[in-house]
Amino acid sequence: MYRIAAVLMVLPLLAQEAGEIRTPKPAVTPRFQGPRLMGVRPGKPFLFRIPCTGEKPLRFTASGLPEGIRLEDGILRGTSPARAGEYRVKLRAQNRHGRSERVFTIVVGETLALTPPMGWNHWYTHYDRVRDSTIREAAKVMVESGMADFGYAYVSIDDCWMNKPGSEDAELSGPVRDVQGRISANKRFPDMKGLTDYVHSLGLKAGTYTSPGPLTCAKFVGAHGYEEQDARQIAEWGFDLLKYDWCSYGRVAASKELAELKKPYELMGKLLRAQDRDIQMNLCQYGMGDVWKWGAEVGGQSWRTTGDLGLEKDTRLPGFFSIGLRNAKLWEYAGPGKWNDPDYILIGWVGSARDQRAEPRRAALTADEQYAYMSMWALMASPLFYSGMMSRLDEFTLNVLCNGEVIDVNQDTLGRQARVVRLTEAELVLAKPMEDGSLAVGLFNLGEKTGKIRASWAELGVKGKKKARDLWRQKRLGAVSAGVEMEVSRHGAELIRLH
Ligand code: GLA
């Protein structure tokens, strides 16, 4: 333990010198990244872009693929097996430097999102200015920046793709539905099917959004009264995820009773389940009625546990800490196919939710705060959706978003959310049991001064000698017994895995 402390005393300095970049560059040899398994329903369209880093070109092969699924340019496509069960596929990646293997399991059954979904959502950068080209560009950048090689897969449209009743903007006005009641996208989305085809052509998945109320939160038309048609339309357009945002549903709900809170989600959950493709449902109702207790039961795979992170007031600490701390306490409710969602990752260049017209700016977070943000989201098995400006991803932001060992914590097959081991004014310790028996531990400094943070074996519930690894710097820290202690910068975090 003391050895770690000694080594780490100097690390903050080195990090500063290296422009605060902690994550080493991925190795040139192939390394599989992201989830090791994927849940699909029987007989549904199947798509999975194999996340893998290493110098390009990479050549992939697969053995044990179920009939109906083929491998093309590093993308698995086709139709999932009709029979429920676990299909173990051996993936191999090769380049001029070496090769690597991974067993990837396709779990055909009823549970989707066996690991937290990863992707990007347009909201916090583009607001009501989103258009077809925004989404295409985001998809393209997701691949070109390398994010997709780490497992980022969903490219999601948020609010504002529909028409807006009463709008004076010609692009947003027009009949909200056709004579048969089919919802129209606004003029900025001339070809929704063409758009999802494009996203799918890259091996990525497409997400969209609506509200059970008559209007969405930005006052565009919602699904109320047309839920069945809208679910069908969303499926026909080829979407793979729906964020279903409460918004104006309060005007429709008969009361604030639990049954009324559940009702719109029960309905949409059933409707999505009935479509001929898998569509994840993300409940967005800000945690009302303890949604974490029933979000899965109504057909959701994830649920926002709090209000909007972008509107959260900073206290002594930036807003993500207070949102994250509220979410952290709900650790017992998360598991494979049912994730607590503390909202998106707002780092890099990002717009302002309070002043949506303003140009995106660099998030007002220190480098340490950004590492703490990502560490917390990884440990909490949160959906990992970036919502900053894709056209302006810089090296530092990618470095925070794309650390394979940090993402492994988030995507671990066991699917446990970290337990809150300790929370005081100055310290937070989170611990996440991993499938291989190791333990991922986050030491967060909520105080105003750099200092040592310690977690003892008694607190962590482990015994004996452990090998410790610094996940951000991807470095061995040596053997430790009795506890771990590291120096943690103000508002920063260290992420350690104990084997
Ligand atoms: C709500 C949601 C946000 C976003 C906006 C869109 O505020 O919580 O995440 O979807 O609506 O209007």
Side-chain angles (χ1 to χ4, degrees), residues 123-124 127 308-315 319 346 350-358 361:
W123 183 246
Y124 284 111
Y127 300 103
D308 293 13
L309 198 154
L311 294 172
E312 182 74 4
K313 286 209 180 70
D314 294 347
T315 53
L346 306 183
V350 44
S352 155
R354 283 203 196 82
D355 180 10
Q356 298 182 6
R357 300 276 122 212
R361 277 198 258 159

Side-chain angles (χ1 to χ4, degrees), residues 132 135-136 157 189 191-200:
D132 176 283
I135 303 300
R136 284 178 196 257
I157 312 176
F189 288 93
D191 180 7
M192 279 293 202
K193 183 67 173 66
L195 178 56
T196 67
D197 282 349
Y198 173 72
V199 172
H200 294 154

Side-chain angles (χ1 to χ4, degrees), residues 16-78:
Q16 292 286 342
E17 277 165 26
E20 293 159 328
I21 287 203
R22 292 188 187 178
T23 305
K25 289 243 175 329
V28 287
T29 48
R31 183 193 193 265
F32 286 98
Q33 306 278 359
R36 290 168 186 270
L37 79 182
M38 177 176 161
V40 284
R41 295 202 176 103
K44 297 281 156 67
F46 184 91
L47 179 65
F48 181 72
R49 186 184 193 284
I50 302 168
C52 186
T53 50
E55 191 185 283
K56 308 260 158 60
L58 286 164
R59 207 173 57 83
F60 292 95
T61 53
S63 53
L65 271 180
E67 213 182 283
I69 300 182
R70 59 191 188 281
L71 169 66
E72 259 170 31
D73 298 330
I75 300 167
L76 299 175
R77 299 179 186 278

Side-chain angles (χ1 to χ4, degrees), residues 461-474:
V462 300
K463 287 201 180 87
K465 215 173 188 181
K466 300 279 170 198
K467 275 194 239 150
R469 188 161 171 89
D470 174 340
L471 298 186
W472 276 114
R473 299 172 190 84
Q474 303 185 352

Side-chain angles (χ1 to χ4, degrees), residues 6 16 50 66 78 96 107 114 131 139 172 179 187 195 234 250 280 302 380 406 414 446 454:
Q16 292 286 342
I50 302 168
R96 69 188 178 106
V107 185
L114 290 175
R131 55 176 63 247
L172 306 181
V179 283
K187 296 188 187 68
L195 178 56
I234 284 164
Q280 285 193 31
S302 59
M380 295 193 300
V406 173
L414 194 59
L446 312 181
R454 181 186 150 82

Side-chain angles (χ1 to χ4, degrees), residues 298-466:
V298 299
Q301 283 73 31
S302 59
W303 38 83
R304 280 270 302 280
T305 54
T306 70
D308 293 13
L309 198 154
L311 294 172
E312 182 74 4
K313 286 209 180 70
D314 294 347
T315 53
R316 184 173 60 72
L317 293 164
F320 78 83
F321 271 115
S322 37
I323 294 269
L325 288 173
R326 267 178 268 155
N327 190 77
K329 292 177 185 153
L330 307 171
W331 59 275
E332 282 163 296
Y333 297 96
K338 41 180 202 164
W339 308 107
N340 290 316
D341 174 6
D343 210 353
Y344 307 130
I345 298 172
L346 306 183
I347 63 172
W349 290 80
V350 44
S352 155
R354 283 203 196 82
D355 180 10
Q356 298 182 6
R357 300 276 122 212
E359 281 296 308
R361 277 198 258 159
R362 201 182 278 285
L365 297 173
T366 65
D368 289 317
E369 287 165 347
Q370 297 182 58
Y371 286 115
Y373 198 151
M374 187 72 187
S375 302
M376 223 170 163
W377 265 233
L379 284 161
M380 295 193 300
S382 309
L384 290 182
F385 277 72
Y386 180 53
S387 192
M389 204 172 172
M390 291 294 270
S391 58
R392 224 167 158 171
L393 277 172
D394 54 31
E395 202 191 344
F396 176 78
T397 306
L398 280 169
N399 176 264
V400 177
L401 292 173
C402 298
N403 179 314
E405 296 191 27
V406 173
I407 288 175
D408 284 347
V409 172
N410 178 265
Q411 292 293 301
D412 185 61
T413 302
L414 194 59
R416 296 268 294 273
Q417 177 172 335
R419 173 171 71 90
V420 180
V421 173
R422 192 189 330 139
L423 174 61
T424 66
E425 274 283 291
E427 294 178 357
L428 166 69
V429 177
L430 295 177
K432 182 181 197 288
M434 305 280 284
E435 207 230 352
D436 65 356
S438 66
L439 189 71
V441 180
L443 306 175
F444 296 82
N445 182 347
L446 312 181
E448 299 307 314
K449 272 197 261 110
T450 296
K452 284 187 188 148
I453 300 186
R454 181 186 150 82
S456 70
W457 278 189
E459 283 176 293
L460 297 175
V462 300
K463 287 201 180 87
K465 215 173 188 181
K466 300 279 170 198

